Amino acid sequence: MTTLDTPALDLAQVRPAFSDPMRDSQSVFRKVMEAVARPGTIADLSGAVEPPAGLEVASAAVALTLFDFETPVWIDPSLAGGETATWLRFHCGCPLTADTANAAFAVATDMAKAPPLSAFNQGDAKYPDRSTTLVLQVAALQGGRPVVLRGPGVKDQITVAPAGLPDGFWDQFETNTAQFQFGVDVLLVAGASLTALPRSVRVEIQGG
């Protein structure tokens, strides 16, 4: 595994985590799991935590809830060695990896430079559940190109329109869905809001 350099922690610069770790993590976990079970719906994680520079509230809350010492995490190279990396190492204890294919979780904040979905761990026949879960920070969860979601957890259909996704994202996601049960799961976040795109959901690009 290729890990990132880990300079000494400067604890004076580390922002706090949850004020009530057990209660707050349970609350965030329930909201995230409900979002995954109901693709396209939006979870509100307002007030969960004060994030470090580089992370949105929802991204930081997900990290505190799901990342731990057993989950290699890929973060944007621009965040490596900075406040976000220190915060994750201190509060989550997660190893940071430069190897996208080894990541259990990934946090992408620069959509223009985000690796393609296929660059991450797709799972395998023995452990399809060990694929990467991507946290993508986008400009907004509304106002972008409309896309219809269908499949497990969606009653009939639901339209989503996140703004600021990488070029070709929906084409990549269609390919991702086509290989189910393999493939990555995606959490889109904007500020304190989160919506989920599990690998099982089917997409129909509107106007395309």
Side-chain angles (χ1 to χ4, degrees):
M1 178 177 72
T2 303
T3 57
L4 299 178
D5 292 336
T6 55
L9 292 174
D10 182 358
L11 301 186
Q13 303 297 319
V14 179
R15 298 190 188 188
F18 290 140
S19 57
D20 186 337
M22 181 174 293
R23 180 173 296 179
D24 292 344
S25 62
Q26 289 176 345
S27 175
V28 171
F29 183 80
R30 286 194 298 269
K31 290 179 179 180
V32 172
M33 291 302 101
E34 183 176 358
V36 171
R38 301 173 58 205
T41 61
I42 295 177
D44 182 4
L45 304 181
S46 297
V49 67
E50 180 184 357
L55 291 188
E56 304 280 7
V57 170
S59 302
V62 167
L64 291 173
T65 303
L66 300 181
F67 300 2
D68 61 28
F69 68 96
E70 294 183 320
T71 58
V73 176
W74 179 93
I75 59 175
D76 270 354
S78 62
L79 301 178
E83 183 180 345
T84 289
T86 300
W87 188 88
L88 289 171
R89 288 168 53 215
F90 180 73
H91 288 303
C92 305
C94 55
L96 300 179
T97 179
D99 183 1
T100 54
N102 182 64
F105 292 94
V107 181
T109 59
D110 184 348
M111 292 298 96
K113 297 180 180 179
L117 301 184
S118 59
F120 295 93
N121 188 347
Q122 306 293 302
D124 56 41
K126 189 174 182 180
Y127 299 110
D129 59 318
R130 293 187 181 179
S131 64
T132 306
T133 296
L134 278 70
V135 180
L136 303 184
Q137 293 189 176
V138 297
L141 297 185
Q142 299 175 333
R145 185 178 186 180
V147 175
V148 171
L149 307 182
R150 295 186 175 88
V154 179
K155 184 178 180 180
D156 299 326
Q157 65 181 48
I158 186 171
T159 300
V160 298
L165 284 166
D167 291 340
F169 173 82
W170 291 116
D171 292 329
Q172 293 179 42
F173 196 80
E174 284 185 315
T175 300
N176 183 69
T177 298
Q179 63 176 341
F180 182 81
Q181 62 186 349
F182 307 118
V184 300
D185 297 314
V186 177
L187 303 177
L188 301 179
V189 304
S193 298
L194 173 150
T195 194
L197 299 172
R199 73 193 84 170
S200 58
V201 75
R202 303 186 304 277
V203 302
E204 179 183 319
I205 304 170
Q206 299 297 282

